[in-house]
Amino acid sequence: MHKLGLLGKNISYSFSKAYFKKKFEDEQIDDVSYENFDIDDINAFPALIKNTIGLKGMNITIPYKEAVLPFLDKLNKKAEEIGAVNTIKITKENKLIGYNTDCYGFKKSLKPFLKPHHKSALILGTGGASKAVAYSLKKLNIKHLYVSRHARKGVDLTYDTLTRDIIKQHLLIINCTPLGTFPNIEDCPNIPYEAITNDHILYDLIYNPEETTFLKQGKQQHATTINGLNMLKFQAEKAWSIWNLS
């Protein structure tokens, strides 16, 4: 029996387990299981790998997309360039190879909504997922700025320096923070929503709830809104093709 799973922290809400369970049932795949590996600290990772018999691969979610890197034997070229992984393949020789399928999922789910005026983006948050988003925007020739709570290297703007004019100049805004995730569904990034127009796209990587407060605020301003569900589906299928167990 092959095993796959999701590595993260406080991930009982996660989409991946239910998604793969349904996939295996629908496609009559009966020699693979998928489970959650919920750990409090990344230092528990090596023991998890060692003690899980039949483990062939895993997805990685918050907060370990960057923290897991030192434990891997190799990164594929894209993951190395991004500096974050969300998929690991375990080879027959027990080598751990890191991949990033977030970039594929994000690009594929965003592309149908892009118009010629979407030339500049704001990325809210600086975690592992934001790096995949930045990589994809670069491939789409869309300039981006990073927005975070605190000024530091690699951060272009802080929330308290985010003006209406900046919002008007950046017609694509992507929330890569966990703000608004179930159960804290009232939360949202602190940006001047009143400056958003019907030319804007607001994209939230969150998929639970289906419509976050961030997206609701965008909808009130007649912006196009996209949640993270299709991105997740696309990246999951890409991960499955990397594991290639079927």
Side-chain angles (χ1 to χ4, degrees), residues 63-94:
Y64 300 131
K65 291 185 182 190
E66 295 162 288
V68 79
L69 295 179
F71 298 94
L72 305 180
D73 296 298
K74 190 181 170 188
L75 292 180
N76 103 314
K77 198 177 166 187
K78 214 173 271 186
E80 194 169 5
E81 199 175 324
I82 291 166
V85 303
N86 73 316
T87 302
I88 294 171
K89 179 175 183 169
I90 300 171
T91 68
K92 284 172 184 161
E93 297 77 31
N94 286 322

Short mmCIF file of all heavy atoms in Angstrom, two decimals, residues 63-94:
data_model
loop_
_atom_site.label_atom_id
_atom_site.label_comp_id
_atom_site.label_asym_id
_atom_site.label_seq_id
_atom_site.Cartn_x
_atom_site.Cartn_y
_atom_site.Cartn_z
N PRO A 63 2.92 25.94 7.95
CA PRO A 63 3.94 26.97 7.73
C PRO A 63 5.28 26.40 7.26
O PRO A 63 6.33 26.95 7.59
CB PRO A 63 4.08 27.56 9.14
CG PRO A 63 3.91 26.36 10.04
CD PRO A 63 3.02 25.38 9.32
N TYR A 64 5.26 25.29 6.51
CA TYR A 64 6.51 24.55 6.28
C TYR A 64 7.03 24.58 4.83
O TYR A 64 7.97 23.85 4.52
CB TYR A 64 6.31 23.08 6.70
CG TYR A 64 5.94 22.93 8.16
CD1 TYR A 64 4.86 22.14 8.56
CD2 TYR A 64 6.66 23.59 9.17
CE1 TYR A 64 4.52 21.99 9.91
CE2 TYR A 64 6.33 23.46 10.51
CZ TYR A 64 5.26 22.65 10.87
OH TYR A 64 4.92 22.53 12.20
N LYS A 65 6.47 25.41 3.97
CA LYS A 65 6.89 25.40 2.56
C LYS A 65 8.35 25.82 2.37
O LYS A 65 8.99 25.41 1.42
CB LYS A 65 5.97 26.29 1.72
CG LYS A 65 4.57 25.72 1.58
CD LYS A 65 3.70 26.55 0.66
CE LYS A 65 2.30 25.94 0.60
NZ LYS A 65 1.49 26.54 -0.45
N GLU A 66 8.84 26.65 3.28
CA GLU A 66 10.26 27.04 3.24
C GLU A 66 11.07 26.28 4.30
O GLU A 66 12.21 25.88 4.05
CB GLU A 66 10.39 28.55 3.48
CG GLU A 66 9.77 29.38 2.37
CD GLU A 66 9.50 30.81 2.79
OE1 GLU A 66 8.58 31.06 3.59
OE2 GLU A 66 10.24 31.69 2.30
N ALA A 67 10.44 26.06 5.45
CA ALA A 67 11.15 25.41 6.57
C ALA A 67 11.60 23.99 6.25
O ALA A 67 12.57 23.49 6.82
CB ALA A 67 10.25 25.40 7.81
N VAL A 68 10.92 23.33 5.31
CA VAL A 68 11.25 21.94 4.99
C VAL A 68 12.49 21.81 4.09
O VAL A 68 13.11 20.75 4.01
CB VAL A 68 10.02 21.23 4.34
CG1 VAL A 68 9.88 21.62 2.86
CG2 VAL A 68 10.10 19.71 4.49
N LEU A 69 12.90 22.92 3.47
CA LEU A 69 13.97 22.86 2.46
C LEU A 69 15.27 22.20 2.95
O LEU A 69 15.83 21.38 2.24
CB LEU A 69 14.28 24.27 1.92
CG LEU A 69 13.16 24.96 1.12
CD1 LEU A 69 13.62 26.35 0.67
CD2 LEU A 69 12.76 24.15 -0.09
N PRO A 70 15.76 22.52 4.15
CA PRO A 70 17.03 21.91 4.60
C PRO A 70 16.98 20.39 4.75
O PRO A 70 18.02 19.73 4.79
CB PRO A 70 17.29 22.57 5.96
CG PRO A 70 16.45 23.79 5.99
CD PRO A 70 15.26 23.48 5.15
N PHE A 71 15.77 19.82 4.82
CA PHE A 71 15.62 18.38 5.03
C PHE A 71 15.56 17.60 3.71
O PHE A 71 15.50 16.37 3.73
CB PHE A 71 14.35 18.09 5.85
CG PHE A 71 14.38 18.70 7.22
CD1 PHE A 71 13.82 19.95 7.45
CD2 PHE A 71 14.96 18.04 8.30
CE1 PHE A 71 13.85 20.53 8.72
CE2 PHE A 71 14.99 18.60 9.56
CZ PHE A 71 14.44 19.86 9.78
N LEU A 72 15.57 18.31 2.59
CA LEU A 72 15.42 17.65 1.30
C LEU A 72 16.79 17.34 0.67
O LEU A 72 17.77 18.03 0.91
CB LEU A 72 14.60 18.53 0.35
CG LEU A 72 13.22 18.96 0.88
CD1 LEU A 72 12.50 19.81 -0.15
CD2 LEU A 72 12.37 17.74 1.25
N ASP A 73 16.81 16.29 -0.15
CA ASP A 73 18.06 15.90 -0.82
C ASP A 73 18.29 16.70 -2.09
O ASP A 73 19.42 16.91 -2.51
CB ASP A 73 18.02 14.41 -1.16
CG ASP A 73 17.97 13.56 0.09
OD1 ASP A 73 18.92 13.64 0.89
OD2 ASP A 73 16.95 12.86 0.30
N LYS A 74 17.18 17.15 -2.71
CA LYS A 74 17.30 17.82 -4.00
C LYS A 74 16.05 18.66 -4.25
O LYS A 74 14.97 18.32 -3.79
CB LYS A 74 17.44 16.74 -5.09
CG LYS A 74 17.80 17.26 -6.46
CD LYS A 74 17.88 16.12 -7.46
CE LYS A 74 18.00 16.64 -8.88
NZ LYS A 74 17.88 15.57 -9.88
N LEU A 75 16.24 19.76 -4.99
CA LEU A 75 15.11 20.57 -5.43
C LEU A 75 15.06 20.55 -6.95
O LEU A 75 16.10 20.63 -7.60
CB LEU A 75 15.27 22.02 -4.98
CG LEU A 75 15.18 22.35 -3.50
CD1 LEU A 75 15.38 23.84 -3.29
CD2 LEU A 75 13.85 21.90 -2.92
N ASN A 76 13.86 20.46 -7.51
CA ASN A 76 13.80 20.61 -8.96
C ASN A 76 14.03 22.09 -9.28
O ASN A 76 13.96 22.96 -8.40
CB ASN A 76 12.51 20.00 -9.54
CG ASN A 76 11.46 21.02 -9.90
OD1 ASN A 76 11.18 21.93 -9.12
ND2 ASN A 76 10.86 20.86 -11.05
N LYS A 77 14.33 22.38 -10.53
CA LYS A 77 14.81 23.72 -10.92
C LYS A 77 13.82 24.82 -10.54
O LYS A 77 14.20 25.87 -10.01
CB LYS A 77 15.06 23.72 -12.43
CG LYS A 77 15.94 24.85 -12.91
CD LYS A 77 16.19 24.72 -14.39
CE LYS A 77 16.77 26.01 -14.96
NZ LYS A 77 16.86 25.97 -16.42
N LYS A 78 12.56 24.58 -10.80
CA LYS A 78 11.52 25.58 -10.51
C LYS A 78 11.42 25.86 -9.02
O LYS A 78 11.37 27.01 -8.58
CB LYS A 78 10.17 25.07 -11.04
CG LYS A 78 9.28 26.14 -11.57
CD LYS A 78 8.05 25.56 -12.24
CE LYS A 78 8.29 25.29 -13.71
NZ LYS A 78 7.07 24.85 -14.41
N ALA A 79 11.41 24.81 -8.22
CA ALA A 79 11.32 24.96 -6.75
C ALA A 79 12.53 25.70 -6.21
O ALA A 79 12.42 26.53 -5.30
CB ALA A 79 11.20 23.59 -6.09
N GLU A 80 13.68 25.43 -6.81
CA GLU A 80 14.92 26.10 -6.38
C GLU A 80 14.84 27.60 -6.67
O GLU A 80 15.20 28.43 -5.83
CB GLU A 80 16.13 25.49 -7.12
CG GLU A 80 17.44 25.88 -6.50
CD GLU A 80 18.60 25.05 -7.06
OE1 GLU A 80 18.40 24.25 -7.99
OE2 GLU A 80 19.71 25.22 -6.56
N GLU A 81 14.33 27.93 -7.85
CA GLU A 81 14.19 29.33 -8.22
C GLU A 81 13.18 30.05 -7.33
O GLU A 81 13.38 31.20 -6.93
CB GLU A 81 13.76 29.44 -9.70
CG GLU A 81 14.04 30.80 -10.29
CD GLU A 81 13.71 30.87 -11.78
OE1 GLU A 81 13.92 29.87 -12.49
OE2 GLU A 81 13.24 31.93 -12.21
N ILE A 82 12.10 29.37 -7.00
CA ILE A 82 11.04 29.96 -6.16
C ILE A 82 11.50 30.08 -4.71
O ILE A 82 11.22 31.08 -4.04
CB ILE A 82 9.74 29.12 -6.27
CG1 ILE A 82 9.15 29.27 -7.67
CG2 ILE A 82 8.71 29.54 -5.21
CD1 ILE A 82 8.07 28.24 -8.01
N GLY A 83 12.20 29.05 -4.22
CA GLY A 83 12.65 29.06 -2.82
C GLY A 83 11.60 28.53 -1.86
O GLY A 83 11.62 28.85 -0.67
N ALA A 84 10.69 27.72 -2.38
CA ALA A 84 9.65 27.11 -1.54
C ALA A 84 9.14 25.87 -2.25
O ALA A 84 9.13 25.81 -3.48
CB ALA A 84 8.50 28.09 -1.30
N VAL A 85 8.73 24.87 -1.47
CA VAL A 85 8.16 23.65 -2.06
C VAL A 85 6.78 23.38 -1.47
O VAL A 85 6.50 23.75 -0.33
CB VAL A 85 9.05 22.40 -1.84
CG1 VAL A 85 10.44 22.61 -2.39
CG2 VAL A 85 9.10 21.99 -0.39
N ASN A 86 5.93 22.77 -2.28
CA ASN A 86 4.64 22.31 -1.75
C ASN A 86 4.38 20.85 -2.09
O ASN A 86 3.33 20.31 -1.77
CB ASN A 86 3.49 23.19 -2.26
CG ASN A 86 3.19 22.92 -3.72
OD1 ASN A 86 4.11 22.80 -4.53
ND2 ASN A 86 1.92 22.80 -4.05
N THR A 87 5.37 20.21 -2.73
CA THR A 87 5.25 18.80 -3.10
C THR A 87 6.60 18.13 -2.93
O THR A 87 7.62 18.68 -3.35
CB THR A 87 4.78 18.67 -4.58
OG1 THR A 87 3.53 19.35 -4.73
CG2 THR A 87 4.62 17.22 -4.99
N ILE A 88 6.58 16.96 -2.32
CA ILE A 88 7.81 16.16 -2.18
C ILE A 88 7.56 14.78 -2.77
O ILE A 88 6.52 14.17 -2.52
CB ILE A 88 8.21 16.01 -0.69
CG1 ILE A 88 8.61 17.37 -0.09
CG2 ILE A 88 9.37 15.01 -0.53
CD1 ILE A 88 8.82 17.33 1.41
N LYS A 89 8.52 14.33 -3.55
CA LYS A 89 8.49 12.96 -4.05
C LYS A 89 9.59 12.18 -3.34
O LYS A 89 10.71 12.67 -3.19
CB LYS A 89 8.74 12.94 -5.57
CG LYS A 89 8.75 11.54 -6.17
CD LYS A 89 8.86 11.58 -7.68
CE LYS A 89 8.79 10.19 -8.26
NZ LYS A 89 8.64 10.18 -9.72
N ILE A 90 9.25 10.97 -2.89
CA ILE A 90 10.24 10.11 -2.25
C ILE A 90 10.60 9.00 -3.24
O ILE A 90 9.75 8.22 -3.64
CB ILE A 90 9.68 9.53 -0.93
CG1 ILE A 90 9.33 10.69 0.02
CG2 ILE A 90 10.71 8.60 -0.28
CD1 ILE A 90 8.58 10.28 1.25
N THR A 91 11.87 8.97 -3.63
CA THR A 91 12.30 8.02 -4.66
C THR A 91 12.49 6.61 -4.08
O THR A 91 12.46 6.43 -2.85
CB THR A 91 13.64 8.48 -5.29
OG1 THR A 91 14.66 8.35 -4.29
CG2 THR A 91 13.58 9.92 -5.78
N LYS A 92 12.73 5.67 -4.96
CA LYS A 92 12.98 4.28 -4.53
C LYS A 92 14.22 4.20 -3.64
O LYS A 92 14.35 3.30 -2.81
CB LYS A 92 13.13 3.38 -5.75
CG LYS A 92 11.80 3.06 -6.42
CD LYS A 92 11.99 2.33 -7.72
CE LYS A 92 10.64 2.13 -8.41
NZ LYS A 92 10.78 1.84 -9.84
N GLU A 93 15.13 5.13 -3.84
CA GLU A 93 16.36 5.17 -3.02
C GLU A 93 16.15 5.98 -1.73
O GLU A 93 17.11 6.32 -1.03
CB GLU A 93 17.52 5.79 -3.82
CG GLU A 93 17.93 5.01 -5.06
CD GLU A 93 16.98 5.21 -6.23
OE1 GLU A 93 16.39 6.30 -6.34
OE2 GLU A 93 16.82 4.27 -7.02
N ASN A 94 14.88 6.32 -1.45
CA ASN A 94 14.53 7.13 -0.26
C ASN A 94 15.13 8.53 -0.27
O ASN A 94 15.39 9.11 0.78
CB ASN A 94 14.89 6.40 1.04
CG ASN A 94 13.92 5.26 1.31
OD1 ASN A 94 12.72 5.39 1.06
ND2 ASN A 94 14.43 4.16 1.81
#
